[in-house]
Amino acid sequence: MKTKNGDDYKSTSVNACINALNRHLNQHSVIRPLDLKGRQMFSDLWQMLDGKLKDIAEQEKREISESDLLSLDEVKLIFNSSILNIDTPIGLLKTVFFTIYYFLD
């Protein structure tokens, strides 16, 4: 289960794939009704998938990194830019949201 560039699929993509296969088999297969989500009937499949999904989840946790904080000069530059113009409703709203984000983070 790898993408074309060799990366692992996200866990949501793997679950979506199982759901799509299950739906396709139940709509078009001669062996229907079939439930791929039945863990007792397809225990080997789910044992492999559970392990794979745990590996993917652990890898996703390792990939998440915190973003760097803005420097004081960058904050001053943003506050002095025309984007945060408090003379317009949109500019005031952006200023409020940026201020809340910056000072509460």
Side-chain angles (χ1 to χ4, degrees), residues 51-64:
K52 183 65 176 174
L53 290 173
K54 286 178 186 174
D55 289 343
I56 291 171
E58 288 175 10
Q59 181 181 0
E60 289 172 355
K61 285 180 187 175
R62 287 191 302 266
E63 289 175 356
I64 296 173

Side-chain angles (χ1 to χ4, degrees), residues 18-36 42:
I18 294 297
N19 289 334
L21 285 171
N22 191 50
R23 184 173 48 252
H24 176 79
L25 290 173
N26 280 301
Q27 289 176 353
H28 304 288
S29 177
V30 294
I31 57 173
R32 66 179 170 223
L34 182 70
D35 185 18
L36 284 180
F42 297 101

Side-chain angles (χ1 to χ4, degrees), residues 6-83:
D7 295 335
D8 283 324
Y9 283 101
K10 301 287 183 191
S11 55
T12 53
S13 298
V14 175
N15 282 323
C17 177
I18 294 297
N19 289 334
L21 285 171
N22 191 50
R23 184 173 48 252
H24 176 79
L25 290 173
N26 280 301
Q27 289 176 353
H28 304 288
S29 177
V30 294
I31 57 173
R32 66 179 170 223
L34 182 70
D35 185 18
L36 284 180
K37 298 192 143 229
R39 290 179 179 261
Q40 290 179 344
M41 181 179 258
F42 297 101
S43 60
D44 291 342
L45 170 70
W46 282 102
Q47 185 177 6
M48 186 269 312
L49 278 177
D50 286 341
K52 183 65 176 174
L53 290 173
K54 286 178 186 174
D55 289 343
I56 291 171
E58 288 175 10
Q59 181 181 0
E60 289 172 355
K61 285 180 187 175
R62 287 191 302 266
E63 289 175 356
I64 296 173
S65 62
E66 293 185 22
S67 59
D68 295 331
L69 295 176
L70 295 173
S71 70
L72 186 57
D73 290 336
E74 291 170 327
V75 172
K76 286 179 182 178
L77 183 66
I78 292 171
F79 272 117
N80 292 328
S81 72
S82 62
I83 295 171

Side-chain angles (χ1 to χ4, degrees), residues 82-98:
S82 62
I83 295 171
L84 301 182
N85 180 2
I86 61 171
D87 295 331
T88 65
I90 297 292
L92 180 61
L93 185 63
K94 289 178 181 180
T95 302
V96 169
F97 278 111
F98 181 75

